[in-house]
Amino acid sequence: MTRVHPANDATIAAAAARLAAGDLVAFPTETVYGLGADARNDHAVAAVYEAKGRPQFNPLIAHVADLSAAEEIAVFDDRAYALAQAYWPGPLTLVLPKKDQTLSKLATAGLETIGVRVPAHPVAQKLLRAFDGPVVAPSANASGRLSPTSAVHVDQSLGDKAGYILAGGRSAVGLESTIVDVSGETAYLLRAGAVTQDDIENLIGPVTPSLHAEGGDVRAPGQLLQHYAPCTALRLNAVDVAPDEALLAFGSARFMGVRGGGGFARDISGGRYMNLSENGDLTEAAANLFAMLHALDTVGATSIAVMPIPDTGLGVAINDRLRRAAGG
Ligand code: TXA
Ligand code: MG
């Protein structure tokens, strides 16, 4: 199995080069193996969702080598510093206000916050230092399958889709990281893990549990996993576009009639026309989705007409996200 590479200086350097080129790399962490991508590259992030076959775009965790690298992408307050100093490197993810506008909007699912973690595993550490940038990494398994705690698990679950697999033994913790949201006044525990609620409360005081199903919908009321929604209304599955609307196209928009005006969608002016993928490529569409929604949200249109997206492959996640953004 040539796609599994025992970690050493040469394979770690090769893996870092792949990340820089926008390719995926599966790598060991002390919690579970992660499927990594450059957190600033929309296309690479879209490829992560595609490889996992995720039906939803949940925000991903950005992995960095140390606290100072984390400070480049997120805003720390006293609580965040206390937690980071006590548990980093280690199995704790902090959700913090996002600082770096170059992060992929798809990685953060359009949110103004970012999940950040400094993994302890020596191979993860070396990889992050060699790459020298934030790496998003959900667990390196197909959606709905068990999280991988060895390179063999990754290979069995994802095979070629994992890209390059760095092998670094078994994950010692074997459970995904604890997630604490300290982006607002109230601290929330979003995912239970090796760092416990007591551990956290000993450092920063009361934390409200707000646990949700991994990768799925939220169970607890008042949960915090917010979803980005544009202020402008969305009109889904549009087959035409009104003169005061913006158009988010997919594939050829040549025959999208402009209501009452004739002409083609391309004639829509003032930055009101964007195409998720002229070629109808779903990975490209996913990579563009949040950035284009944000852009069209600012052009003063009465609503955003969105052309139909096929409900296959990544299209399922795109349509799920569009329905949420449209308000249900
Ligand atoms: O242990 C781990 O954390 C593993 C290893 C590979 O590091 N990674 C992992 O990532 O479990 P992932 O992508 O499966 O978990 C991401 C979860 C999301 O489903 C969401 O619940 C939460 O982290 N999350 C990330 N960013 C968030 C944000 N801005 N706001 C709220 N929740 C966020
Ligand atoms: Mg997972």
Side-chain angles (χ1 to χ4, degrees):
M1 275 180 281
T2 51
R3 57 193 170 227
V4 177
H5 305 270
N8 57 44
D9 289 349
T11 56
I12 289 171
R18 286 188 171 238
L19 288 173
D23 293 333
L24 304 185
V25 169
F27 63 96
T29 86
E30 71 280 16
T31 58
V32 299
Y33 273 65
L35 183 61
D38 179 352
R40 298 188 165 129
N41 181 333
D42 282 322
H43 214 270
V45 176
V48 168
Y49 289 102
E50 178 165 57
K52 284 183 62 86
R54 268 208 182 176
Q56 296 180 338
F57 296 131
N58 289 317
L60 301 176
I61 296 167
H63 296 67
V64 291
D66 53 29
L67 177 57
S68 70
E71 287 177 299
E72 285 175 24
I73 60 173
V75 181
F76 283 70
D77 65 5
D78 290 347
R79 299 168 301 173
Y81 279 122
L83 291 166
Q85 268 147 16
Y87 292 107
W88 281 359
L92 177 69
T93 295
L94 300 177
V95 173
L96 302 171
K98 182 175 85 165
K99 187 171 180 183
D100 181 342
Q101 296 306 320
T102 68
L103 290 169
S104 159
K105 285 198 166 61
L106 182 61
T108 57
L111 300 174
E112 288 307 314
T113 55
I114 174 116
V116 193
R117 177 162 111 77
V118 175
H121 195 292
V123 174
Q125 275 287 325
K126 285 183 183 160
L127 178 66
L128 291 169
R129 283 177 201 285
F131 175 63
D132 196 24
V135 172
V136 288
S139 54
N141 53 282
S143 182
R145 303 290 182 78
L146 287 181
S147 289
T149 52
S150 74
V152 171
H153 292 166
V154 177
D155 195 33
Q156 286 170 348
S157 188
L158 292 176
D160 285 336
K161 291 181 184 160
Y164 193 91
I165 304 174
L166 276 177
R170 296 205 150 266
S171 295
V173 177
L175 251 190
E176 280 95 345
S177 60
T178 303
I179 304 178
V180 185
D181 183 337
V182 284
S183 63
E185 215 163 290
T186 307
Y188 293 93
L189 178 64
L190 298 185
R191 185 166 73 186
V195 178
T196 66
Q197 185 170 348
D198 278 352
D199 293 335
I200 297 160
E201 292 189 333
N202 285 339
L203 284 172
I204 65 165
V207 173
T208 307
S210 183
L211 308 177
H212 55 78
E214 162 73 359
D217 276 332
V218 169
R219 287 197 204 118
Q223 60 73 39
L224 256 232
L225 180 52
Q226 294 164 1
H227 289 286
Y228 167 73
C231 301
T232 313
L234 295 189
R235 190 165 66 80
L236 304 182
N237 297 312
V239 294
D240 59 11
V241 53
D244 50 358
E245 279 187 318
L247 175 64
L248 185 60
F250 176 80
S252 170
R254 237 179 95 75
F255 299 107
M256 286 292 288
V258 177
R259 250 187 247 160
F264 296 130
R266 278 173 207 290
D267 300 330
I268 298 171
S269 59
R272 290 178 176 220
Y273 167 70
M274 293 199 163
N275 200 321
L276 289 168
S277 170
E278 304 240 350
N279 304 324
D281 178 295
L282 288 166
T283 308
E284 185 183 11
N288 286 330
L289 180 65
F290 285 98
M292 289 186 176
L293 281 176
H294 273 271
L296 291 178
D297 201 17
T298 64
V299 297
T302 53
S303 52
I304 303 170
V306 184
M307 283 175 65
I309 316 281
D311 219 20
T312 57
L314 268 189
V316 176
I318 294 171
N319 284 322
D320 169 73
R321 177 56 51 170
L322 284 170
R323 275 192 298 271
R324 288 166 193 268

